[in-house]
Amino acid sequence: MRSSHSPDQLTVTFDDDHAVADAGLILVASLAEGLGLGELFDTHLDLGEAPGAANAGGKAMTLLHSVLAGGEWIGDADALRAGATGQVLGHRVAAPSTLGTFLRSFTWGSTRQLDQVAGIALARAWAAGAGPGPWPLTIDVDSTHCQTYGLAKQGATGIDRHGERGYHPLLASVAGLGDVLHSRLREGVANTGRGAASFVTETINRARRAGATGPICLRADSGFYTHTVIRACHKQGVTCSITVKLSKAVRKVIAQIPEQSWTPIPYWLDGGADVAETSYRPFGPKGRVMRLIVRRVRPTPGSQLALFCDYDYHGFVTDRDGAMLVLEADHRRHAEVENVIRDLKYGVGLNHLPSGRFAANAAWLALNVLAHNLARWTSRIGLGETLITTKTLRVRYLDLPGRLTRSARRWHLHLPTRWPWAHQFLLALDRLRCVPFPT
């Protein structure tokens, strides 16, 4: 005998015009309104006579809200057109076909206009309380691979060194906060260092324009170990901490470090890791003398690497002041950038680049970065949390079912009773509504 609580006993109909899909997006929509984000798109984004030029702000905001709701494809934006969802978002929700036309209307120049919007939004969010202020700021730069499978995507038809097709974007994030300062889409066969110096310069300038008044340090892996990147940091008055490539010259310098100079550090294997320091002039006699800090790690007993060497070496050059062990531990925290990249790919929609046109995919990247930052600012300003991921934010606060009613000439958004995070939600909404609209 079937229970009266069986799902088979429920009648299902799609007939509620007042239902709201992803009602928790009102948090992000309130912050976006406080930052004047829609007006920024309308003011700074000029697509000329392209078919998708009209109402750029509404279309861009539709894509932002769609990826924050979990959409990975352009067609997923259709979920925002269900019921009364559009009234919660504060803008007209565009159809997927319209959004596709909008993205295909971008050129590389208009994609740079999106960078300008992102920079202004960053400055406004930081001024509203999400920024580092006068405290030291560490910028992590890295590249990632976004694999594609079609043969008709511009810039993604070549086979890269991993044997895959796709794109190879550059990303710069704020250590400890997760904000993405800058992004740049590149073709898949581009090596990590291509365009890195200009990218670093633009990133540093954007951070300073946004209100970072304290000292800045740039951390990077060996893909950014080039004289142009180090020169760009020196020119901008920024310190750097960059992993070196273990060339013959570097190995020779490491071999000359006296054995008594190595200092043990905590490691899962007793005596398994040590750190030492020496001076080194990278990139020939014209380069500046920098500190070379090296960590040596004993291979796992019985591993293949243990058959050929006693230690595996990892070094980086830096011009920072401070204790060797402190700087070495800080440099290893560069790995935090991988969490940002993971959040971009699995928290928003960067795991999929939808168009065959390079500029359209560059616009998709820029909009996903802005959506990621909106999630970070919503968490930091509204919830007072820094380390929450976009997925957690979505499950607890954004993907809420709701119902919109009207009484006494006022709209009322009804959310589920006994929601575990209801108190935090209402407190965050009050805080985000207090973000002053820019004048």
Side-chain angles (χ1 to χ4, degrees):
M1 181 176 181
R2 290 188 177 181
S3 168
S4 60
H5 298 289
S6 171
D8 295 341
Q9 304 300 315
L10 296 176
T11 301
V12 178
T13 57
F14 289 87
D15 59 358
D16 194 342
D17 290 332
H18 301 286
V20 178
D22 304 304
L25 286 174
I26 191 174
L27 295 178
V28 180
S30 297
L31 177 59
E33 183 174 349
L35 299 177
L37 195 53
E39 289 77 4
L40 283 178
F41 284 121
D42 287 328
T43 302
H44 295 279
L45 191 56
D46 183 6
L47 299 180
E49 300 298 324
N55 190 27
K59 296 170 185 174
M61 292 305 301
T62 299
L63 286 169
L64 291 182
H65 286 135
S66 176
V67 297
L68 284 172
E72 294 186 358
W73 306 77
I74 297 174
D76 293 340
D78 236 355
L80 301 181
R81 305 176 73 198
T85 306
Q87 291 179 258
V88 173
L89 302 179
H91 59 83
R92 182 173 176 268
V93 179
S97 58
T98 303
L99 297 175
T101 303
F102 171 65
L103 287 175
R104 289 191 297 272
S105 298
F106 276 87
T107 64
W108 181 250
S110 50
T111 302
R112 298 290 286 174
Q113 295 170 0
L114 285 177
D115 288 339
Q116 186 179 10
V117 171
I120 298 173
L122 180 74
R124 292 179 177 179
W126 282 11
W135 301 105
L137 179 73
T138 299
I139 300 174
D140 289 318
V141 294
D142 204 353
S143 62
T144 186
H145 182 77
C146 300
Q147 188 174 5
T148 60
Y149 301 94
L151 299 178
K153 290 184 181 290
Q154 294 176 350
T157 58
I159 304 295
D160 67 5
R161 62 187 180 89
H162 301 291
E164 300 173 345
R165 292 184 176 87
Y167 294 98
H168 195 191
L170 291 172
L171 297 165
S173 67
V174 180
L177 298 181
D179 295 5
V180 177
L181 287 172
H182 196 14
S183 64
R184 181 187 295 175
L185 190 67
R186 304 178 305 168
E187 60 180 351
V189 296
N191 62 62
T192 300
R194 183 189 297 182
S198 63
F199 179 79
V200 165
T201 300
E202 291 178 3
T203 300
I204 296 169
N205 289 334
R206 179 175 294 186
R208 285 179 169 153
R209 285 195 301 267
T213 57
I216 298 177
C217 174
L218 181 94
R219 294 190 304 207
D221 60 21
S222 61
F224 296 85
Y225 180 63
T226 66
H227 70 281
T228 55
V229 170
I230 294 179
R231 187 167 60 220
C233 292
H234 291 165
K235 188 175 181 180
Q236 295 294 324
V238 168
T239 58
C240 61
S241 181
I242 303 177
T243 303
V244 299
K245 297 177 180 178
L246 290 179
S247 62
K248 290 183 178 179
V250 173
R251 291 184 180 276
K252 182 177 179 181
V253 171
I254 294 175
Q256 294 173 352
I257 298 177
E259 184 62 31
Q260 61 270 21
S261 298
W262 292 96
T263 302
I265 60 174
Y267 197 65
W268 68 272
L269 182 67
D270 290 339
D274 310 287
V275 175
E277 176 183 354
T278 186
S279 59
Y280 181 63
R281 189 189 301 271
F283 313 115
K286 294 184 179 181
R288 181 183 302 187
V289 176
M290 303 179 71
R291 300 171 70 178
L292 173 63
I293 299 176
V294 185
R295 175 169 55 96
R296 68 180 187 182
V297 179
R298 190 179 297 277
T300 304
S303 66
Q304 188 175 16
L305 184 61
L307 300 175
F308 301 98
C309 63
D310 294 329
Y311 290 100
D312 188 21
Y313 294 94
H314 308 271
F316 66 95
V317 291
T318 183
D319 52 3
R320 303 169 67 185
D321 296 326
M324 172 187 67
L325 294 180
V326 174
L327 295 181
E328 194 277 332
D330 180 76
H331 183 76
R332 277 188 278 128
R333 283 192 286 270
H334 169 68
E336 293 175 2
V337 71
E338 299 297 338
N339 292 329
V340 177
I341 293 174
R342 180 188 61 188
D343 204 62
L344 284 167
K345 289 185 175 181
Y346 302 105
V348 287
L350 192 57
N351 210 24
H352 170 68
L353 293 159
S355 180
R357 299 188 182 184
F358 184 86
N361 288 327
W364 178 264
L365 168 64
L367 290 169
N368 272 268
V369 164
L370 192 47
H372 166 87
N373 285 345
L374 274 175
R376 302 276 64 71
W377 303 333
T378 299
S379 302
R380 204 147 62 245
I381 299 174
L383 299 169
E385 299 187 41
T386 300
L387 301 179
I388 184 173
T389 64
T390 302
K391 181 179 179 181
T392 301
L393 180 71
R394 180 180 302 126
V395 170
R396 294 183 180 179
Y397 303 103
L398 303 186
D399 281 357
L400 271 169
R403 193 170 189 273
L404 202 62
T405 62
R406 186 176 175 87
S407 176
R409 298 183 180 181
R410 290 183 63 87
W411 289 103
H412 190 179
L413 180 61
H414 300 269
L415 299 175
T417 59
R418 298 183 297 279
W419 189 256
W421 304 280
H423 175 73
Q424 296 94 316
F425 184 98
L426 294 175
L427 183 60
L429 184 60
D430 288 339
R431 289 173 175 170
L432 295 171
R433 284 175 169 173
C434 290
V435 174
F437 187 83
T439 56

